[in-house]
């Protein structure tokens, strides 16, 4: 689907949180009239856009009505899975550039996604579906351990648990199900090996790999991401196998335009797919790390593709970038004493604290529990990682030891 070249571009962005701000600012820099839609009347994005709509990003009919009111010629969202259904639904109704509504539904449901990848013959973990609210424990007791539990329709590491013993099943299933709209959870093979994400831009139906991101997580039990580095330090042959699998996953899910964020683990049997997001990678990976490590403005290209302009992919200018997520706790966060000083350290481009002072921080169970982030640019991945670690260790964060 494409837009008429005679229409003035007008962009509707679903979501007004901090993760959507790069798209709002980029659209403004391009001179494109922009509207923001969010259920939060005080979201940051509303004050940066030309127009604001108070509605849920997960309500397709409301999004369609707002798109018509704004006379949008393109609809998009950054870094969030579920609103992609609304993007696709409204775009189909208005004949705008987007993946199909069917593709959006499949790629935002972990069960439907893994079934589509399986049908295409792509490497993936074994899996079993159960209802975590009314679990039949006899269905899971014979499964090989360790294994992973995850909600079928959640994101941001919410509800992800590693099962190591039979005694964990009742509590872990109930916990994971609290993050699932339907209560359904997937039990999957626990894959061991380096984890990466692949940042992809799909132009004129063809997926292009912009970057492979090396990941660090907390590990057992919740696997919350703590650091991302570009470019990847994996062997060239492994990177090529990862690129091939990532592009094939986009084709299997019928992702024909826009961006994709593909998560892969390099096991001893080779790369296996974890998940595919039909949108730009979150956690500032696509909006910040990709342009810093490649010189390619992924946000601008995604906007132009959403507007039906079919942009040309520029040449990459290789450097390196790292984002390290700040966490302290459990306890009550009071303040950072030397924020300005840390922002002047080598390679540091941004130090941001997400949570307000006096916020009570618990155990790191999801990406929402992180205190903030540090973004660094360097000439090599190793240097970027080291500078980010040094900056994090230099932060003088005052905490009061208090638990939730």
């Amino acid at each position: 689907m494409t837009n008429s070249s005679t229409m003035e571009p007008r962009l509707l962005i679903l979501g007004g949180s901090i993760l959507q701000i790069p798209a709002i600012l980029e659209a403004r820099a391009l001179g494109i009239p922009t509207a923001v839609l969010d259920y939060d009347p005080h979201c940051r994005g509303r004050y940066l856009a030309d127009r604001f709509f108070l509605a849920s990003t997960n309500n397709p009919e409301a999004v369609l009505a707002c798109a018509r009111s704004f006379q949008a010629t393109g609809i998009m969202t950054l870094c969030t899975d579920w609103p992609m259904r609304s993007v696709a639904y409204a775009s189909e109704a208005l004949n705008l550039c987007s993946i199909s509504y069917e593709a959006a539904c499949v790629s935002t449901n972990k069960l439907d996604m893994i079934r589509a990848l399986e049908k295409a013959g792509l490497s993936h973990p074994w899996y079993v579906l159960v209802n975590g609210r009314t679990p039949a424990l006899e269905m899971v007791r014979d499964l090989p351990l360790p294994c992973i539990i995850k909600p079928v329709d959640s994101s941001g590491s919410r509800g992800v648990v590693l099962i190591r013993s039979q005694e964990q099943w009742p509590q872990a299933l109930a916990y994971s199900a609290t993050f699932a709209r339907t209560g359904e959870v997937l039990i999957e093979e626990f894959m061991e090996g380096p984890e990466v994400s692949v940042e992809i831009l799909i132009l004129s139906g063809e997926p292009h790999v912009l970057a492979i991101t090396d990941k660090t997580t907390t590990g057992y039990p919740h696997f919350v991401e703590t650091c991302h580095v570009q470019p990847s330090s994996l062997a060239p042959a492994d990177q090529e196998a990862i690129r091939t699998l990532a592009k094939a996953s986009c084709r299997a899910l019928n992702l024909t335009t826009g961006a994709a964020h593909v998560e892969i683990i390099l096991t001893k049997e080779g790369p296996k797919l974890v998940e595919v997001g039909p949108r730009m990678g979150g956690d500032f990976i696509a909006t910040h790390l990709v342009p810093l490590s490649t010189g390619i403005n992924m946000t601008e290209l995604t906007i132009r593709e959403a507007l039906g302009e079919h942009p040309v992919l520029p040449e990459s200018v290789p450097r390196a970038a790292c984002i390290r997520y700040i966490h302290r706790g459990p306890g009550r966060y009071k303040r950072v004493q030397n924020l300005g000083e840390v922002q002047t350290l080598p390679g540091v481009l941004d130090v941001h604290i997400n949570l307000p002072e006096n916020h009570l921080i618990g155990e790191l169970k999801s990406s929402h529990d992180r205190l903030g982030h540090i973004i660094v640019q360097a000439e090599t991945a190793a240097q970027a990682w080291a500078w980010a670690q040094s900056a994090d260790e230099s932060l003088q964060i005052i905490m009061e030891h208090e638990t939730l």
Side-chain angles (χ1 to χ4, degrees), residues 189-211:
E189 171 190 356
F190 174 58
M191 299 181 288
E192 296 187 80
E195 183 175 357
V196 301
S197 65
V198 186
E199 319 316 323
I200 291 179
L201 194 63
I202 306 159
L203 303 176
S204 301
E206 183 63 27
H208 301 269
V209 174
L210 303 190

Side-chain angles (χ1 to χ4, degrees), residues 33 50-51 56 155 161 180 188 191 202 230 247 254 282 346 354 356 364 368:
D50 299 296
R51 190 170 173 186
S56 170
S155 60
V161 183
E188 291 185 348
M191 299 181 288
I202 306 159
Q230 294 173 359
K247 291 192 286 187
N254 197 28
N354 300 330
L364 188 54
H368 297 276

Side-chain angles (χ1 to χ4, degrees), residues 192-380:
E192 296 187 80
E195 183 175 357
V196 301
S197 65
V198 186
E199 319 316 323
I200 291 179
L201 194 63
I202 306 159
L203 303 176
S204 301
E206 183 63 27
H208 301 269
V209 174
L210 303 190
I212 298 176
T213 310
D214 287 345
K215 292 187 175 187
T216 305
T217 75
T218 57
Y220 175 81
H222 298 296
F223 300 91
V224 182
E225 294 163 1
T226 57
C227 186
H228 300 298
V229 185
Q230 294 173 359
S232 174
S233 298
L234 293 175
D238 290 329
Q239 292 193 46
E240 186 55 35
I242 287 167
R243 286 189 190 94
T244 299
L245 180 60
K247 291 192 286 187
S249 71
C250 292
R251 297 186 182 102
L253 295 172
N254 197 28
L255 304 183
T256 55
T257 184
H261 175 74
V262 184
E263 296 178 343
I264 291 174
I265 291 179
L266 182 61
T267 73
K268 60 184 179 182
E269 293 88 19
K272 290 186 179 183
L273 289 158
V274 180
E275 293 175 7
V276 181
R279 39 72 182 174
M280 290 172 61
D283 274 352
F284 305 96
I285 296 172
T287 55
H288 292 65
L289 294 196
V290 168
L292 289 172
S293 71
T294 69
I296 297 173
N297 188 334
M298 192 174 183
T299 305
E300 177 187 351
L301 294 172
T302 303
I303 288 173
R304 293 193 182 279
E305 182 73 3
L307 293 169
E309 296 181 7
H310 304 301
V312 176
L313 188 67
E315 290 288 329
S316 177
V317 182
R319 291 195 71 187
C322 175
I323 182 166
R324 185 180 178 94
Y325 304 102
I326 305 163
H327 182 261
R328 303 290 191 275
R332 187 172 297 278
Y333 163 65
K334 302 301 291 184
R335 64 187 179 278
V336 180
Q337 288 190 315
N338 63 337
L339 188 62
E341 177 185 328
V342 173
Q343 288 173 330
T344 66
L345 293 177
V348 174
L349 300 180
D350 183 39
V351 183
H352 184 80
I353 302 298
N354 300 330
L355 302 179
E357 294 183 359
N358 292 313
H359 188 88
L360 188 58
I361 301 173
E363 179 187 352
L364 188 54
K365 293 183 178 180
S366 82
S367 58
H368 297 276
D369 298 320
R370 299 181 303 213
L371 179 57
H373 67 259
I374 299 167
I375 297 177
V376 167
Q377 185 182 44
E379 293 303 319
T380 67

Side-chain angles (χ1 to χ4, degrees), residues 15-82:
S17 73
I18 187 173
L19 291 177
Q20 307 297 330
I21 287 177
I24 303 169
L25 295 178
E26 188 65 38
R28 287 183 58 180
L30 295 170
I32 299 168
T34 303
V36 164
L37 182 150
D38 199 293
Y39 76 97
D40 179 4
H42 305 296
C43 66
R44 300 185 190 185
R46 80 169 295 172
Y47 305 106
L48 300 173
D50 299 296
R51 190 170 173 186
F52 177 72
F53 292 98
L54 184 63
S56 170
T57 59
N58 297 329
N59 184 333
E61 288 291 348
V63 170
L64 174 57
C66 295
R68 282 186 169 136
S69 173
F70 185 62
Q71 298 181 320
T73 63
I75 309 171
M76 67 176 294
T77 189
L78 295 186
C79 315
T80 51
D81 290 321
W82 204 260

